[in-house]
Amino acid sequence: MTPETIDLDIAPFIDHSLLNPGAGDELVRKWCTEAERFGFASVCVYPSRVFLARECLQGKAPTVSTVIGFPSGATTSASKLYEALDAVEQGASELDVVLNLGWIKEQKTNLIYNEIAKICDESNVTVKAILETNLLTPDELELVSAIAIDAGVQCLQTCTGWNGGVQVEHIRQLKEIAKGQIAIKAAAGIRSRSDAIALIEAGATRLGTSYSLQLLQPDNEPEDPT
């Protein structure tokens, strides 16, 4: 750790994620209250919870983000586009879109490009492409990242969390690929301040985690219950 990162304010990097399908309205409201209180970048919820989150955060700094095609990315392009546009209508200002892993493996570059480019063009909000980095070779990661950047995404995101957590080396590779053109979101398995700082030092500009309050505490100290 450098002296600068030891005292780094991590809160503005965090997408405060609530992707437990069983989470109800009360928990969504709690997540939104925490996001405003601690200064998180956004609250990330399932599409069915976007409207409530937008109501809770109306006029407040944190944005509302949601997931599209989550977690498999294997739904049809038409389904993803509908889901994306509906989420924007409900109040989402950031879309974390899972790319089609099968298409990546088969190098169906036109299908990948057309799907994500249409979402970018028609949604007019921030789009993050979820790449599922743990299941990609370095060459596949470079190829799909280039396609996503060319299609107009504003951020490359590592993982859904359904196939393992983020790896620091993947963030370093994405930083090299992005060359400062777009943001990089590290997601899945980030549970401590030291995890967060290592990822930020490697190049992450956003952190997706449901352990947000833990990240604000020095390692081995309990989170503030208030």
Side-chain angles (χ1 to χ4, degrees):
M1 287 184 195
T2 65
E4 292 79 9
T5 54
I6 289 173
D7 296 324
L8 180 66
D9 181 9
I10 292 176
F13 289 82
I14 293 176
D15 286 349
H16 195 32
S17 302
L18 182 59
L19 296 176
N20 177 350
D25 289 356
E26 183 177 352
L27 206 52
V28 173
R29 293 189 182 97
K30 179 177 184 288
W31 245 241
C32 292
T33 298
E34 290 171 350
E36 182 191 13
R37 175 185 174 188
F38 294 105
F40 298 142
S42 81
V43 171
C44 184
V45 294
Y46 277 108
S48 62
R49 299 296 181 176
V50 165
F51 187 81
L52 175 59
R54 180 69 275 161
E55 279 191 328
C56 293
L57 292 171
Q58 191 69 40
K60 298 170 183 176
T63 60
V64 177
S65 57
T66 192
V67 288
I68 303 298
F70 190 88
S72 74
T75 52
T76 66
S77 295
S79 297
K80 286 185 187 176
L81 180 61
Y82 180 88
E83 187 178 26
L85 297 181
D86 185 57
V88 172
E89 185 175 349
Q90 296 295 317
S93 54
E94 300 185 14
L95 305 174
D96 295 16
V97 182
V98 187
L99 301 190
N100 188 310
L101 182 65
W103 288 352
I104 298 170
K105 292 293 183 181
E106 294 173 304
Q107 296 189 14
K108 293 183 175 179
T109 54
N110 287 340
L111 292 177
I112 299 166
Y113 175 88
N114 290 338
E115 178 178 273
I116 195 67
K118 197 167 185 66
I119 291 173
C120 290
D121 291 343
E122 296 196 23
S123 67
N124 291 312
V125 297
T126 295
V127 176
K128 307 173 200 147
I130 303 179
L131 310 174
E132 208 66 288
T133 47
N134 289 322
L135 302 182
L136 302 179
T137 67
D139 286 346
E140 289 169 342
L141 180 55
E142 185 168 359
L143 174 64
V144 73
S145 297
I147 293 169
I149 292 170
D150 193 38
V153 304
Q154 288 80 36
C155 181
L156 299 174
Q157 179 171 329
T158 56
C159 318
T160 61
W162 287 64
N163 295 285
V166 61
Q167 305 296 319
V168 171
E169 58 266 30
H170 292 150
I171 296 298
R172 293 195 185 104
Q173 186 176 1
L174 289 175
K175 181 181 180 181
E176 178 65 25
I177 293 167
K179 299 187 186 306
Q181 297 176 68
I182 62 173
I184 298 170
K185 179 175 173 179
I190 310 169
R191 300 190 177 187
S192 70
R193 182 175 176 82
S194 60
D195 289 343
I197 289 177
L199 293 163
I200 292 168
E201 289 183 331
T205 55
R206 281 286 187 96
L207 305 171
T209 180
S210 56
Y211 293 85
S212 310
L213 303 191
Q214 287 184 201
L215 269 57
L216 303 183
Q217 303 294 326
D219 288 0
N220 301 319
E221 287 193 15
E223 65 184 55
D224 183 354
T226 61

